[in-house]
Amino acid sequence: MKIFTFHKKNRYVVFAAVLMVSIVIMMVIANIESMLQAKVNHSNAMQVATMSVADPLIPASSPDFFIEYRLERDKIRSERSDLLRESIKNAKTDDSRNQAQDTVLKMIAEKQKEAEMESLIKSRGFTDALVFVRENSVSAVIKTTSLSHEEVIQIADVITRISGVKAENISISAKP
């Protein structure tokens, strides 16, 4: 008993459809790669040492990158905090409650470190700064058209002292 048979004409139609979908997917991937390459080419990024850390999601067209990103970061943290508080409130075991509480405390500590580093960087004469603390790395975006080697070293020193992260795990870039 044949459940599904392809006629010769249907095979060509299916093949053409699969080929078109494949081409569209390749075009989308090529477009994404070109956008990423353009981002790299137009960046004034200076890195203390080599590092490959995924960039956080950044609103593409905002009037003030620094203000918009802070608002988005605070919104995401607030949502995450609400979820963790619910987890603490509804935890079935002490272990899961303690784990959620530890996550909240870690999030608060990261926020404090970021704020302290941003303030200290701004006290060095920069208009604005964003700092992103991750487990073993820190990224900083400084509001300026370019950074000298000495400025990069000063910023890296502030970040190292506050976060305890080694210089090779710090990424610093300039954004006008």
Side-chain angles (χ1 to χ4, degrees), residues 11-26:
R11 285 187 209 153
Y12 292 125
V13 171
V14 169
F15 176 74
V18 169
L19 183 63
M20 287 176 53
V21 168
S22 298
I23 290 171
V24 169
I25 290 172
M26 289 173 35

Side-chain angles (χ1 to χ4, degrees), residues 88-137:
I88 292 168
K89 191 168 119 178
N90 298 327
K92 303 278 187 226
T93 65
D94 286 341
D95 188 43
S96 61
R97 181 177 295 113
N98 290 339
Q99 191 174 16
Q101 287 172 338
D102 289 344
T103 304
V104 169
L105 292 174
K106 183 179 175 186
M107 195 170 64
I108 291 169
E110 284 177 357
K111 185 176 180 178
Q112 287 173 333
K113 283 180 183 179
E114 287 173 352
E116 185 176 357
M117 287 184 273
E118 290 170 358
S119 294
L120 287 172
I121 291 168
K122 286 190 255 182
S123 75
R124 303 255 192 240
F126 295 102
T127 308
D128 207 348
L130 280 171
V131 177
F132 314 101
V133 174
R134 294 183 187 87
E135 245 179 79
N136 298 318
S137 66

Side-chain angles (χ1 to χ4, degrees), residues 17-175:
V18 169
L19 183 63
M20 287 176 53
V21 168
S22 298
I23 290 171
V24 169
I25 290 172
M26 289 173 35
M27 289 173 60
V28 168
I29 291 171
N31 190 22
I32 290 171
E33 288 176 349
S34 68
M35 288 187 320
L36 289 174
Q37 187 62 34
K39 179 181 176 188
V40 170
N41 289 342
H42 297 314
S43 171
N44 284 330
M46 294 184 101
Q47 198 161 359
V48 175
T50 57
M51 166 178 131
S52 61
V53 174
D55 287 337
L57 294 177
I58 300 171
S61 60
S62 59
D64 187 347
F65 167 81
F66 293 86
I67 292 171
E68 291 292 321
Y69 195 87
R70 272 196 191 91
L71 290 171
E72 185 66 24
R73 182 172 67 179
D74 288 346
K75 178 183 167 194
I76 290 169
R77 278 191 176 137
S78 177
E79 290 170 357
R80 186 174 176 209
S81 181
D82 291 344
L83 287 171
L84 287 167
R85 283 192 184 97
E86 279 297 314
S87 296
I88 292 168
K89 191 168 119 178
N90 298 327
K92 303 278 187 226
T93 65
D94 286 341
D95 188 43
S96 61
R97 181 177 295 113
N98 290 339
Q99 191 174 16
Q101 287 172 338
D102 289 344
T103 304
V104 169
L105 292 174
K106 183 179 175 186
M107 195 170 64
I108 291 169
E110 284 177 357
K111 185 176 180 178
Q112 287 173 333
K113 283 180 183 179
E114 287 173 352
E116 185 176 357
M117 287 184 273
E118 290 170 358
S119 294
L120 287 172
I121 291 168
K122 286 190 255 182
S123 75
R124 303 255 192 240
F126 295 102
T127 308
D128 207 348
L130 280 171
V131 177
F132 314 101
V133 174
R134 294 183 187 87
E135 245 179 79
N136 298 318
S137 66
V138 176
S139 297
V141 180
I142 312 303
K143 189 172 190 172
T144 185
T145 54
S146 65
L147 291 165
S148 70
H149 184 68
E150 292 78 25
E151 291 171 327
V152 170
I153 291 172
Q154 282 182 350
I155 295 166
D157 180 56
V158 167
I159 293 171
T160 300
R161 279 188 291 118
I162 304 300
S163 69
V165 172
K166 295 179 183 176
E168 60 265 13
N169 295 325
I170 298 171
S171 174
I172 299 169
S173 60
K175 180 162 181 63

Side-chain angles (χ1 to χ4, degrees), residues 2-18:
K2 288 186 179 180
I3 296 174
F4 191 68
T5 59
F6 278 114
H7 294 283
K8 195 171 192 178
K9 186 177 178 182
N10 288 344
R11 285 187 209 153
Y12 292 125
V13 171
V14 169
F15 176 74
V18 169

